[in-house]
Amino acid sequence: MAKSNRKSVWRRALTAPAGIPRPARPDDGPPPAEPEPPSIVQAVLYRDGVRVSSPATLAETYRALREQPSGMAWIGLARPPAAELKSLAAEFDLHPLAVEDALEAHQRPKLERYGDTLFVVLRAARYLDAPEQVDFAELHVFVGPDFVITVRHGAAPDLSAVRRRMEETPELLRLGPEAVLYAILDAVVDGYAPVVEGVQNDIDEIETEVFSGDPEVSRRIYELSREMVEFQRATRPLVGMLHGLMAGFAKYGTDEELQRYLRDVADHVTHTSERVDSFRQALTEILTVNATLVTQQQNAEMRALAEAGFEQNEEIKRISSWAAILFAPTLVGTIYGMNFEHIPELRWLFGYPFALLLMGVVCTGLYAVFKRRDWL
């Protein structure tokens, strides 16, 4: 699309009509807030793969690009305010829906084409060694005939390294905005490799912790499983996106060398997606094994408690049996030890032998009963 024909109805949808200024009145309320600081990380103008200038503001970038008919602007933004994105939309005829997505973030990876402009959403990832966690960031890329606009929501990826790499290979940068898009895709996909290695190490550690009986391992498995769900959401759509780009090679006249690079990126994405799928499956299996081991441990503890309770019950039986046996002679002795004058057996000649015999018979009988019931 020629620059002179770049403006369309989309611009009118993004820019409100200018009103007539009027003098301030006391009831106008508080003065407007201070404007937000610029979010431009870097804006560079290229021509034939070589840096021409580095404008400091968006206005200077627009002016420099108009003065370079065959130039290409690469504008990098980090969490830009709405005013800057609307300015870019008005200048480069960006679709309002794409601008809205770039402002709100929290989008799934996707590729959409609005006329001559591609809108790409990517989810970059990096592995944090200290907390052993995966940090995800969102990157939005607008690719037009003579511009590339990147909007970062997060720390990854390092686009300054991508820019240096492209400037060191002017023959690749000379291929235009599509080459920049390839380099960004390649950087995002290459950033997945350290994450894959870090997650593999985490899974190896988790397997060791599961069989060592670490009580905190269940929480770690759950947290890593959630990260793998996010990782899948970042990598799976990329496979379809890159195949969609490759399907349009002939229609949009993509350079053959660039086609080879994009196929290589697609192979890496497919490999990474398969690894992530295998990680999630492995974590599911580890969680099942851990649940089985926890159940076995709980069963062993319950069995030990039951055995301890059984042994305690046996002891109580023995104590109760001997207490009953000893209670019988104590009862007889207590009765005849009372200080009453008229007790029938006190003057009986066989009273004492009878009392002893009664004690012996009762104790022997109780012993036999308890023995038969295995209480003794």
Side-chain angles (χ1 to χ4, degrees), residues 200-218:
Q200 182 65 68
N201 292 335
D202 287 346
I203 291 177
D204 293 341
E205 292 176 2
I206 285 174
E207 289 177 341
T208 303
E209 292 172 0
V210 164
F211 291 102
S212 65
D214 189 341
E216 296 294 329
V217 70
S218 297

Side-chain angles (χ1 to χ4, degrees), residues 44-366:
V44 180
L45 189 67
Y46 298 95
R47 184 176 182 181
D48 294 331
V50 178
R51 181 190 289 236
V52 176
S53 62
S54 300
T57 64
L58 290 179
E60 293 178 9
T61 304
Y62 303 155
R63 184 168 55 255
L65 186 59
R66 294 189 191 103
E67 294 172 355
Q68 295 286 341
S70 59
M72 177 190 72
W74 184 352
I75 303 171
L77 305 173
R79 296 186 179 91
E84 287 189 1
L85 271 181
K86 288 184 177 181
S87 172
L88 288 165
E91 176 67 22
F92 296 109
D93 200 22
L94 306 180
H95 197 279
L97 293 177
V99 174
E100 181 181 353
D101 289 346
L103 277 172
E104 295 180 357
H106 304 293
Q107 304 293 320
R108 298 194 68 178
K110 61 181 179 179
L111 183 149
E112 295 178 349
R113 184 178 292 276
Y114 300 100
D116 290 338
T117 302
L118 275 177
F119 176 61
V120 182
V121 178
L122 303 172
R123 293 292 302 278
R126 58 174 181 165
Y127 186 80
L128 304 178
D129 292 322
E132 294 185 338
Q133 294 177 349
V134 182
D135 178 49
F136 294 94
E138 197 166 322
L139 176 65
H140 298 190
V141 186
F142 296 89
V143 182
D146 57 355
F147 65 89
V148 176
I149 302 170
T150 58
V151 181
R152 284 194 298 113
H153 294 273
D158 184 7
L159 293 181
S160 60
V162 178
R163 191 186 295 272
R164 287 194 300 271
R165 172 193 169 192
M166 293 296 289
E167 290 179 352
E168 291 171 358
T169 54
E171 64 278 4
L172 183 60
L173 188 56
R174 192 177 294 118
L175 297 178
E178 286 187 345
V180 176
L181 175 61
Y182 149 73
I184 294 172
L185 287 168
D186 188 51
V188 171
V189 174
D190 286 347
Y192 293 152
V195 178
V196 169
E197 295 302 320
V199 171
Q200 182 65 68
N201 292 335
D202 287 346
I203 291 177
D204 293 341
E205 292 176 2
I206 285 174
E207 289 177 341
T208 303
E209 292 172 0
V210 164
F211 291 102
S212 65
D214 189 341
E216 296 294 329
V217 70
S218 297
R219 181 182 182 87
R220 190 176 181 187
I221 295 173
Y222 173 73
E223 291 175 348
L224 190 57
S225 297
R226 290 188 61 184
E227 290 178 351
M228 289 306 96
V229 171
E230 290 296 319
F231 208 178
Q232 279 186 323
R233 291 174 180 172
T235 56
R236 272 187 179 177
L238 274 180
V239 177
M241 288 167 54
L242 287 168
H243 281 87
L245 278 176
M246 291 188 292
F249 283 165
K251 179 177 179 180
Y252 296 101
T254 305
D255 183 84
E256 292 186 3
E257 188 67 15
L258 195 56
Q259 293 182 25
R260 298 188 187 98
Y261 286 135
L262 287 171
R263 290 192 187 97
D264 182 65
V265 174
D267 291 341
H268 291 170
V269 169
T270 302
H271 177 70
T272 301
S273 181
E274 291 172 352
R275 290 288 302 275
V276 175
D277 290 343
S278 68
F279 287 159
R280 190 173 181 188
Q281 180 65 31
L283 287 169
T284 302
E285 295 173 356
I286 291 172
L287 189 60
T288 302
V289 171
N290 181 65
T292 303
L293 293 176
V294 169
T295 302
Q296 291 177 350
Q297 183 179 0
Q298 291 175 344
N299 291 339
E301 292 174 353
M302 293 296 294
R303 186 166 53 251
L305 289 173
E307 292 175 355
F310 177 78
E311 292 177 359
Q312 185 178 12
N313 190 38
E314 292 298 312
E315 293 295 329
I316 293 174
K317 286 181 180 179
R318 292 188 185 95
I319 295 172
S320 301
S321 300
W322 285 113
I325 292 171
L326 294 175
F327 175 73
T330 302
L331 178 62
V332 174
T334 302
I335 292 174
Y336 287 101
M338 293 187 295
N339 296 321
F340 292 105
E341 182 177 355
H342 301 288
I343 297 179
E345 292 83 5
L346 286 180
R347 298 184 183 278
W348 184 33
L349 179 62
F350 299 103
Y352 178 68
F354 177 76
L356 292 179
L357 179 63
L358 178 62
M359 293 179 189
V361 170
V362 172
C363 290
T364 302
L366 290 174

